[in-house]
Amino acid sequence: MESATTLTTLVILFPLLGFLINGLIGLSSDSFREKKTLIGTIANLAVFIPFAIAVYFFLNMGQGAAPVFAELFTWIEVGSFSVDIAYQLDQLSIVMMLVVTGVGFLIHLYSIGYMWGDEGYWKFFAFLNLFIFAMLNLVMADNLLLLFLGWEGVGLCSYLLIGFWYEDMANAAAGSKAFWYNRVGDFAFLVAMFLTFQYVGSLDFDMVLGNLDAIPADGKFWIGLLMFIGATGKSAQIPLFVWLPDAMAGPTSVSALIHAATMVTSGIYLISRMSEMFVMAPEVMMIIAVIGALTAFVAATIAITQNDIKRVLAYSTVSQLGYMFLALGSGAFTAAMFHVVTHAFFKACLFLGSGSVIHAMEHVEHGLHNEGKDVHFDPQDMRFMGGLKEYMPSTYKTFLLATIAIAGIPPLAGFFSKDEILAFTFNAGFGEFAGSLYLILWGIGIITAFLTAFYMFRLTFGTFNGEFKLPEKISEAAGGEKFLHESPKTMTIPLWTLGGLSVVGGFLGVPNFLLATFTHHEEHINLLHNWLHNVTADFGLTLSHATEWMLMGISIVIAVAGVYSAYRMYGSGATESSDAKLSDWFGGLYQTWKEKYNLDELYEGVVVDPIVRMSDKGLAKFDMKIVDGVVNTVGGVVRLFGSVFRYTQTGVTSSYALAFILGVILILSMLIL
Amino acid sequence: MIGIDWFLALSALLFCIGIVGVLIRKNAIVIFMCVELMLNAVNLSLVSFSSHYGNIDGQILVFFSLAIAAAEAVVGLAIIIAIFRNNLSVDISNINLLRW
């Protein structure tokens, strides 16, 4: 791989070029903005070429091969502190590159159709390219600071894209909210970087991970904890997850990109990258596992009660990310990356599918308006849908495939990755540190698996089964179904590709024991594990094959039970009556879920309001009286002196000359005497 | 032979006349001429010393100061003309825009 440096540069440069071309020319030329095919082609190529190069890297990098470094130039050099713009190609970063550019490309392709009628078409693609550029910096960086550059970059892009339709105040506010919640986490990450530099004297990954002895045990604890807090911001975990559901304000393809391929996976990537340090801090691992399991459960319960299809998916993402953190905390870094990959396939498919549905619903609204009927409804609300499978067969089939995958039905993608996570959590239950706690977390994981299957099928049945409900909800909308139609090819091709990947993606990580049981060969058939084993520090599985079979059996039974209960309640598309039943059964608990545990209100009351009040009452007064007072006093004294001495400025030339001459005489006489 | 004292005394006298002129006259052109007078007083003492010590350096300096005085006169007169065009007067007691 001697040409690695050149190719790496190209991988980084193409998305940046795409951003610059579409952004700058679009900014200055109105006629360029109209050339939508050209803009879309540029943006898609800017992601597809890096994907092709990533595939080349993948084919040329052997399992267990040493990392390749591509050092471009020195970025910062101050004293003993030196940071390069340098990229590291190893098995982990190549997996992430493939996901980011591969899934990212499909989302770009889909956006051509989805955003066609939008006024900001050029701007949208420019931002999307910038997002990919930032994310590639994040996953390819060979040091923490360059990673942080990408980390902040995706934060900026999410702000720009969530608030893409900025003319609506609510969207702009959602963008700001995502930005602010991420800043909280980023602050912790920054402190973790300072600590790392203090102990090791370098921010390069191979230097830090090679000198872990230089960091004392409590240093590892704090660095690990602070990095994890950073990750809770980006990857939307308790307590910082509330921004992600609001991120639905952006265009659907953005949601897909944020939720599946980019931003939210960065926290998992960071911890996997630093896994050798994390395994030495078991307390942090425990905290990560607990937070992950709780997040998975909390988000899943909220997802059951939501009616906005994109919001259900958003909470589902938060929940699945919780699974990934549960894996990280259980020492199953490969399993976490495995779930990142499979989740990227089926969640991207689900989001793009939901976009296709919303697209169709908006067409119904426009069609009715053209008939002169003044009908208004929320095109994302599944209570108005139902029966869509007849009108949108491609969307329905791919959505169903992805739903089966996420629900954990074998042998689709989500089954293997989720099963591996649960097996490792169970395995950690017999470890030296906090064993029984991990068993409880495994229990939470199992319950969440049931909930996942349940809410995902509730969503699918509610959207696609039964009758089209809009006409019965709004009598004016009668006959609206004739406007329903399948989306264009640029949207269905990515859907089918992702749907296919959701089916086969799981075979990347078939557990080893499946082969071992039948052939008595203890061969490693888990491809992803073989691929990543020299980068991530996995704990070994010590369970017997019988236990593993039992765990897998439980996973299957739970998933099937979830699907079956959802079918019993929602199979006919009766969303609202079944929701009412659930509400009756769970009472106050259901209300809490529906109100999202009131976290937003809690933060508003406990954090935001006191700060605003303190600023209003205290700090503003301090600023006006004390700070301004000091500044004005200094100014006043100067003015006072000026008011005396300005009278010497007579403007009469001869008096100046006299003063000048007297001065000369004075100096001369002093020199002579 | 007249001693150097006489030349220096004349130079000092010219210089003082120049100073007094600069201080008490109001016509900008006259002030300007007084400045020239002061310059020439200095030139006179330079030439005197040069001849007294038999050293050429002083005379060379005079050439420089004459050349600079000529250049200065060009700029100074141009400024005075510009002021006159604006004020229709070169009385410096009227030109006091920079007063408090």
Side-chain angles (χ1 to χ4, degrees):
Chain A
M1 294 176 57
E2 58 281 345
S3 54
T5 309
T6 324
L7 287 176
T8 310
T9 319
L10 291 180
V11 169
I12 294 292
L13 273 187
F14 268 106
L16 184 64
L17 269 179
F19 161 66
L20 290 176
I21 293 173
N22 280 340
L24 292 181
I25 303 183
L27 202 58
S28 53
S29 151
D30 280 338
S31 58
F32 179 77
R33 297 184 193 179
E34 295 309 313
K35 295 177 184 141
K36 295 194 168 171
T37 316
L38 177 68
I39 294 173
T41 313
I42 292 173
N44 275 274
L45 278 180
V47 185
F48 182 74
I49 296 172
F51 173 65
I53 297 174
V55 171
Y56 171 81
F57 281 147
F58 173 71
L59 296 175
N60 280 273
M61 174 149 250
Q63 290 186 358
V68 177
F69 294 94
E71 286 169 21
L72 303 191
F73 56 90
T74 303
W75 179 20
I76 302 171
E77 193 163 18
V78 184
S80 65
F81 176 74
S82 168
V83 178
D84 294 341
I85 299 286
Y87 298 99
Q88 175 173 4
L89 294 169
D90 61 11
Q91 286 80 359
L92 184 60
S93 53
I94 287 177
V95 167
M96 288 304 290
M97 277 166 78
L98 286 170
V99 172
V100 172
T101 54
V103 177
F105 167 67
L106 291 172
I107 293 167
H108 274 67
L109 188 62
Y110 172 95
S111 306
I112 294 180
Y114 190 75
M115 297 300 287
W116 193 263
D118 198 279
E119 218 177 305
Y121 190 78
W122 62 281
K123 195 172 66 175
F124 180 79
F125 276 108
F127 288 164
L128 226 49
N129 275 178
L130 188 65
F131 209 149
I132 297 284
F133 168 73
M135 193 62 197
L136 284 174
N137 268 297
L138 198 162
V139 298
M140 291 166 68
D142 95 323
N143 59 66
L144 276 167
L145 197 62
L146 186 56
L147 183 148
F148 190 69
L149 184 81
W151 186 273
E152 290 300 299
V154 292
L156 169 71
C157 293
S158 75
Y159 166 76
L160 292 172
L161 284 165
I162 294 169
F164 182 73
W165 289 312
Y166 57 88
E167 282 165 352
D168 184 345
M169 271 314 284
N171 295 354
S176 305
K177 185 176 178 184
F179 194 75
W180 283 113
Y181 273 94
N182 272 292
R183 294 289 81 63
V184 178
D186 293 350
F187 175 70
F189 185 22
L190 264 179
V191 179
M193 263 201 304
F194 295 150
L195 277 177
T196 312
F197 184 74
Q198 196 184 7
Y199 286 122
V200 185
S202 170
L203 292 176
D204 292 357
F205 286 125
D206 53 341
M207 287 292 286
V208 174
L209 295 175
N211 292 307
L212 284 176
D213 299 338
I215 310 175
D218 61 334
K220 285 180 187 125
F221 174 78
W222 285 112
I223 293 173
L225 188 66
L226 288 165
M227 276 187 180
F228 173 59
I229 293 174
T232 58
K234 273 281 171 292
S235 297
Q237 296 295 291
I238 290 174
L240 297 179
F241 74 82
V242 292
W243 67 267
L244 192 60
D246 282 35
M248 300 296 88
T252 301
S253 14
V254 173
S255 315
L257 200 58
I258 292 178
H259 285 256
T262 60
M263 190 149 167
V264 296
T265 60
S266 48
I268 290 118
Y269 169 77
L270 173 69
I271 294 178
S272 299
R273 172 61 73 197
M274 301 292 290
S275 58
E276 285 171 50
M277 191 196 74
F278 277 91
V279 293
M280 294 184 193
E283 299 93 346
V284 180
M285 298 280 281
M286 187 192 78
I287 294 170
I288 295 176
V290 170
I291 294 285
L294 285 181
T295 308
F297 179 73
V298 164
T301 51
I302 299 176
I304 291 177
T305 64
Q306 299 296 307
N307 288 317
D308 182 318
I309 55 175
K310 276 171 76 183
R311 271 183 188 271
V312 175
L313 294 177
Y315 281 109
S316 157
T317 304
V318 176
S319 174
Q320 297 301 308
L321 289 164
Y323 266 114
M324 295 170 205
F325 278 98
L326 177 61
L328 296 171
S330 308
F333 299 99
T334 313
M337 291 310 297
F338 185 22
H339 205 51
V340 165
V341 174
T342 58
H343 180 257
F345 295 156
F346 51 70
K347 191 49 70 61
C349 184
L350 287 169
F351 263 113
L352 299 187
S354 75
S356 178
V357 168
I358 294 163
H359 202 66
M361 293 298 280
E362 278 170 349
H363 267 275
V364 173
E365 198 171 6
H366 289 160
L368 289 170
H369 281 197
N370 290 343
E371 283 189 347
K373 293 174 179 166
D374 191 26
V375 181
H376 292 281
F377 60 92
D378 179 0
Q380 307 191 10
D381 194 327
M382 60 187 270
R383 284 173 297 188
F384 298 128
M385 299 170 188
L388 293 184
K389 69 177 165 188
E390 288 168 41
Y391 306 99
M392 315 180 68
S394 286
T395 307
Y396 169 65
K397 285 172 196 157
T398 51
F399 202 89
L400 186 64
L401 283 178
T403 306
I404 299 173
I406 193 175
I409 305 289
L412 276 72
F415 168 72
F416 287 110
S417 51
K418 203 182 294 178
D419 183 60
E420 192 177 343
I421 290 172
L422 290 171
F424 268 91
T425 312
F426 194 74
N427 185 49
F430 301 99
E432 293 163 15
F433 191 83
S436 45
L437 179 69
Y438 280 99
L439 289 182
I440 297 171
L441 296 182
W442 176 79
I444 296 177
I446 287 289
I447 298 170
T448 309
F450 173 82
L451 293 174
T452 308
F454 184 77
Y455 69 70
M456 281 312 301
F457 271 94
R458 168 180 176 266
L459 178 64
T460 312
F461 291 146
T463 309
F464 293 101
N465 282 16
E467 296 292 314
F468 189 52
K469 276 175 250 150
L470 185 62
E472 66 186 69
K473 283 270 183 189
I474 303 169
S475 51
E476 276 236 282
E481 62 269 18
K482 66 174 173 286
F483 298 111
L484 283 172
H485 64 90
E486 186 58 278
S487 300
K489 275 274 186 297
T490 63
M491 288 165 72
T492 50
I493 290 171
L495 282 176
W496 277 110
T497 316
L498 288 165
L501 287 169
S502 309
V503 175
V504 299
F507 295 103
L508 283 174
V510 175
N512 293 324
F513 74 90
L514 282 185
L515 184 74
T517 315
F518 295 116
T519 62
H520 303 289
H521 289 296
E522 290 287 339
E523 270 175 86
H524 288 289
I525 53 169
N526 187 331
L527 297 175
L528 200 70
H529 189 271
N530 292 347
W531 177 249
L532 288 177
H533 74 93
N534 65 332
V535 187
T536 53
D538 264 355
F539 290 174
L541 265 185
T542 53
L543 301 170
S544 69
H545 292 331
T547 322
E548 292 198 57
W549 276 110
M550 184 195 77
L551 290 175
M552 190 175 258
I554 293 175
S555 290
I556 297 173
V557 169
I558 284 291
V560 171
V563 177
Y564 181 69
S565 2
Y567 178 73
R568 282 294 300 274
M569 295 185 70
Y570 295 97
S572 59
T575 319
E576 277 175 285
S577 57
S578 302
D579 277 350
K581 257 188 251 169
L582 272 184
S583 176
D584 279 349
W585 290 342
F586 290 101
L589 213 50
Y590 188 85
Q591 211 50 39
T592 315
W593 299 340
K594 183 120 189 142
E595 285 160 15
K596 305 157 195 168
Y597 293 81
N598 289 311
L599 277 177
D600 273 318
E601 290 76 4
L602 185 75
Y603 292 152
E604 194 73 24
V606 176
V607 182
V608 180
D609 274 354
I611 290 181
V612 170
R613 224 174 302 130
M614 192 176 75
S615 309
D616 260 4
K617 300 257 159 69
L619 293 178
K621 294 246 158 56
F622 178 80
D623 185 52
M624 281 189 285
K625 298 266 152 67
I626 312 287
V627 178
D628 289 2
V630 170
V631 174
N632 288 338
T633 309
V634 172
V637 169
V638 172
R639 191 186 290 227
L640 190 71
F641 275 97
S643 69
V644 175
F645 287 104
R646 70 186 164 137
Y647 292 111
T648 60
Q649 305 300 319
T650 57
V652 179
T653 320
S654 24
S655 57
Y656 294 153
L658 181 64
F660 181 73
I661 288 160
L662 288 177
V664 170
I665 292 172
L666 187 70
I667 291 171
L668 280 178
S669 51
M670 275 166 64
L671 284 177
I672 293 165
L673 299 178
Chain B
M1 186 68 185
I2 307 164
I4 192 173
D5 309 7
W6 293 94
F7 290 102
L8 292 181
L10 177 62
S11 167
L13 190 64
L14 283 174
F15 196 81
C16 288
I17 292 172
I19 288 180
V20 171
V22 167
L23 288 182
I24 65 172
R25 296 305 296 260
K26 293 198 169 167
N27 188 322
I29 294 179
V30 176
I31 291 173
F32 205 62
M33 283 155 63
C34 292
V35 172
E36 297 295 320
L37 201 59
M38 286 156 72
L39 271 172
N40 277 324
V42 174
N43 284 345
L44 178 59
S45 53
L46 281 170
V47 173
S48 315
F49 281 119
S50 175
S51 125
H52 180 72
Y53 291 110
N55 186 326
I56 201 75
D57 292 0
Q59 302 211 19
I60 294 172
L61 267 178
V62 170
F63 272 105
F64 277 111
S65 74
L66 280 178
I68 292 168
E72 178 227 307
V74 169
V75 177
L77 280 173
I79 293 173
I80 289 170
I81 290 168
I83 291 173
F84 181 76
R85 277 187 183 158
N86 276 320
N87 285 7
L88 293 180
S89 154
V90 287
D91 186 337
I92 55 162
S93 59
N94 293 335
I95 308 167
N96 49 10
L97 291 173
L98 296 180
R99 203 177 40 160
W100 68 79

